[in-house]
Amino acid sequence: MIRPTSGGGGAARPDAIRRHNLALILGHVHRDGYLTRAELTARLGVSRSTVGALVADLIQLGLVEESVPSGGDRVGRPSHVVGPREHGPYVVAVDVDVTHVTSAAVAIGGRVLSRFTVPTGPDPGSPEHVADLVVSAVDELGRLVGRRGVAVGVSVPGTVDKHTRTVGVAPNLGWQEARLGDLLTERLGGELPVAVGNDADLAMLAELSRGNIRGCRDAVYLIGRAGVGAGVLVNGQPVTGRDGRAGEVGHNVVTADGPSCHCGKRGCLETMIGDLALLRLAGREVEATEQNVAALFDDARAGDDTVLAAVREVAGWLGQALGNLVNTLNPQRIVLGGSLSGVLELARADVEHALEQYAFDPGHPVELMLSQLGPDSALMGAAELAFADLLEDPFVGQVTSA
Ligand SMILES: [Zn+2]
């Protein structure tokens, strides 16, 4: 809902409406990068002078800047474009996975200013240890970028209660009721706002903002790493459940006598389609790192029959899982991330065949797509989470970065 504001000139402007429209402009620039004033005027449905006043406010807040694009071959007066400010605020995004912790400084517009990955072996350790890693990352990125971040967003492979910022269950980390948000706030001395989210939920958020879920109202992002989980969008809203445990489809039991799962049960979906399943089926007894999984896919592309058979077996289980998701949620689109995007790329026909077999209405269309942000989906989603308050109210940034 776009609400018009007066374009200045002395009339009192209701603060909430002005902030709402500032947030809308910042949101457009954040998701789309550089936009002309004319484009912003059309998108907001307000007058050109109103957009001018709002852009001036955002420039004053240090969030956007205006420039004249060079090298264009357009005839006539060059149009100013509004884009994210080059040296504007950035957030610290952290992706905690089973084998590594990746941290990045991400600016408005999603530009990564600096990043690094710390390999953590087969297990990143206790919540306290991970909190220490995140605090080190905040400091290190501050040094690398030359200024401090304004907020922290952390993605974890576990259920997260967004209100308490507690990780309820993270089977592959061995965490239960880990108060990660509080640990981080304590360690950072309350200096920065900290938000925590589930990796699949955040990956979905990132693809919704700047990836392959853009414009969808009903979609699923299924992530496959050491664990498997779903980020679910229903009627334009993320589905988290009562306390963040929705979307844990990786722990739906699909074969009662299957391999044992870190959650304590047997035959969970993730034991059949997660990274470890791929490696096990391909006969590789190696750690489930991104590199080892990438090497497996390289061999499949090169025609290694054993590996291809493993990928096709996983594709069958994946198609079945997608059929169940389609029956439950009726999504327009399902985006596959992590190693599942490799499975779809190499064995789409097997995935689709199984999906047709298990879908209640086999002919009904659902779009299967690869993740646009690739391995960075959860990381970029953590950035989106950290930016949420600023995008909701651009004045928050002024307070935080002052
Ligand atoms: Zn399980």
Side-chain angles (χ1 to χ4, degrees):
M1 177 70 190
I2 313 294
R3 284 167 283 188
T5 65
S6 90
R13 284 184 293 192
D15 204 47
I17 292 177
R18 177 171 159 238
R19 286 182 180 216
H20 173 79
N21 282 336
L22 288 170
L24 283 177
I25 292 190
L26 188 60
H28 284 296
V29 168
H30 177 62
R31 288 187 298 275
D32 291 325
Y34 292 86
L35 294 163
T36 64
R37 281 193 188 189
E39 285 167 326
L40 287 169
T41 301
R43 288 186 184 200
L44 267 71
V46 297
S47 73
R48 203 178 163 90
S49 64
T50 298
V51 164
L54 292 166
V55 167
D57 283 350
L58 290 173
I59 290 172
Q60 203 163 17
L61 288 169
L63 300 174
V64 304
E65 60 192 17
E66 276 192 299
S67 56
V68 179
S70 58
D73 50 13
R74 289 188 205 165
V75 179
R77 194 164 57 119
S79 183
H80 284 68
V81 293
V82 182
R85 183 176 156 223
E86 174 90 23
H87 298 292
Y90 74 85
V91 296
V92 174
V94 183
D95 174 22
V96 178
D97 198 16
V98 177
T99 58
H100 63 269
V101 175
T102 297
S103 305
V106 183
I108 293 170
R111 190 161 62 97
V112 174
L113 305 176
S114 186
R115 65 183 291 165
F116 57 87
T117 295
V118 178
T120 51
D123 177 358
S126 66
E128 289 76 12
H129 178 63
V130 168
D132 288 340
L133 288 178
V134 174
V135 172
S136 303
V138 170
D139 291 341
E140 181 63 16
L141 289 167
R143 269 193 295 277
L144 291 167
V145 177
R147 60 187 191 280
R148 299 284 282 178
V150 298
V152 180
V154 183
S155 163
V156 291
T159 69
V160 177
D161 183 328
K162 65 181 175 185
H163 302 294
T164 62
R165 303 177 303 164
T166 299
V167 181
V169 197
N172 292 307
L173 302 180
W175 295 4
Q176 274 205 313
E177 298 303 325
R179 301 182 66 81
L180 185 63
D182 287 351
L183 288 172
L184 284 166
T185 298
E186 280 164 25
R187 279 164 169 72
L188 291 163
E191 175 204 0
L192 299 174
V194 176
V196 183
N198 165 267
D199 57 358
D201 290 347
L202 295 181
M204 191 278 290
L205 204 62
E207 295 282 335
L208 181 64
S209 177
R210 60 183 78 257
N212 278 338
I213 298 180
R214 273 197 79 158
C216 288
R217 294 192 63 77
D218 293 277
V220 175
Y221 184 102
L222 192 65
I223 193 168
R225 306 209 276 194
V228 169
V232 178
L233 188 74
V234 170
N235 198 21
Q237 295 297 317
V239 173
T240 57
R242 180 166 62 97
D243 51 12
R245 283 163 160 85
E248 287 299 321
V249 297
H251 298 287
N252 287 347
V253 174
V254 293
T255 172
D257 56 355
S260 57
C261 181
H262 283 105
C263 75
K265 291 182 297 191
R266 298 191 77 86
C268 291
L269 177 64
E270 78 177 37
T271 68
M272 305 310 289
I273 69 170
D275 288 357
L276 277 170
L278 265 173
L279 292 162
R280 183 187 70 241
L281 291 166
R284 301 189 172 188
E285 289 185 18
V286 291
E287 208 184 317
T289 60
E290 276 181 15
Q291 292 78 8
N292 285 336
V293 173
L296 179 149
F297 284 128
D298 284 345
D299 292 345
R301 285 185 201 98
D304 183 321
D305 287 338
T306 308
V307 180
L308 265 173
V311 172
R312 293 190 63 182
E313 181 165 352
V314 167
W317 288 105
L318 173 60
Q320 177 178 340
L322 297 181
N324 292 336
L325 282 168
V326 166
N327 293 346
T328 311
L329 296 163
N330 183 209
Q332 171 192 343
R333 185 174 295 169
I334 300 178
V335 171
L336 296 167
S339 54
L340 298 181
S341 58
V343 174
L344 183 67
E345 184 203 325
L346 282 158
R348 180 182 272 271
D350 296 277
V351 174
E352 289 178 343
H353 177 71
L355 170 56
E356 291 289 297
Q357 266 189 306
Y358 287 95
F360 149 72
D361 183 4
H364 196 74
V366 59
E367 300 158 3
L368 299 184
M369 296 183 76
L370 305 182
S371 157
Q372 186 172 325
L373 300 167
D376 281 345
S377 294
L379 182 72
M380 296 310 286
E384 291 298 313
L385 184 67
F387 268 127
D389 286 346
L390 181 66
L391 292 171
E392 177 87 21
D393 179 359
F395 281 89
V396 168
Q398 189 185 38
V399 173
T400 314
S401 63

